[in-house]
Amino acid sequence: MTQPNYILLPVNPVFITFSFVVAFLLNFLPWGGLLGVPDFVALVLVFWSIHQPRKVGIGMAFTMGLIMDVHDSVYLGENALAFTVLSYFAITIHRRVLWFTPFAQSLHVLPLFVLAQALQVIVRLIVAPDAHFPGWLVFSQSLVTTILWPLATLILLAPQKRAVDKDHTRPI
């Protein structure tokens, strides 16, 4: 049995803002140096860049990156560069990705998250002369963020879904 094709309601800009605030609060939690902690801001940024590219774009990504730079106390522009590139490529593939199920979409966004994290590692290695490669386990963050993609899709699209109407006489 196939799932019904939902006609989505227009997204509320307040909800987009609320989702970014919640993502920032989740990123601000004191996770410590744990490996595999997802980047919630990147997840929400890619989601809205794919689903609403006219409302959330590269300028928003740059702003979110600067805020995360200040919070993480990293080199100014490190996250801004990564989030800008992340948003650019998400907007580039947004029409193709929307044809797939959320699980298949996660395979399309995995390279985006890996690329963004690789940019962050490369910037750290270039800027700090005594820095060393942190190891391949640092990319587990991208994998965990990708695993959360179907759940994020379910949660962030929920306010836009119309109720399934049982009236078969109406065309929509």
Side-chain angles (χ1 to χ4, degrees), residues 106-128:
S106 62
L107 295 176
H108 285 85
V109 298
L110 175 63
L112 300 179
F113 292 131
V114 171
L115 174 66
Q117 196 165 15
L119 280 173
Q120 291 173 334
V121 170
I122 289 169
V123 166
R124 287 183 199 145
L125 291 175
I126 289 173
V127 173

Side-chain angles (χ1 to χ4, degrees), residues 11-26 40-41 44 48 56 60 64 155-156 159:
V11 66
N12 188 349
V14 174
F15 182 70
I16 293 175
T17 305
F18 175 74
S19 65
F20 275 112
V21 168
V22 169
F24 275 118
L25 291 176
L26 288 172
F40 294 103
V41 174
V44 172
W48 288 123
V56 177
M60 176 78 91
M64 299 301 151
I155 292 170
L156 294 174

Side-chain angles (χ1 to χ4, degrees), residues 61-117:
F62 184 77
T63 305
M64 299 301 151
L66 286 179
I67 294 170
M68 286 306 299
D69 285 336
V70 171
H71 172 264
D72 292 341
S73 299
V74 295
Y75 300 109
L76 192 61
E78 177 183 321
N79 286 317
L81 172 68
F83 286 177
T84 303
V85 170
L86 186 68
S87 178
Y88 172 76
F89 284 115
I91 291 170
T92 302
I93 66 169
H94 84 276
R95 289 189 180 188
R96 177 183 22 196
V97 170
L98 291 175
W99 282 95
F100 296 101
T101 64
F103 292 105
Q105 288 175 4
S106 62
L107 295 176
H108 285 85
V109 298
L110 175 63
L112 300 179
F113 292 131
V114 171
L115 174 66
Q117 196 165 15

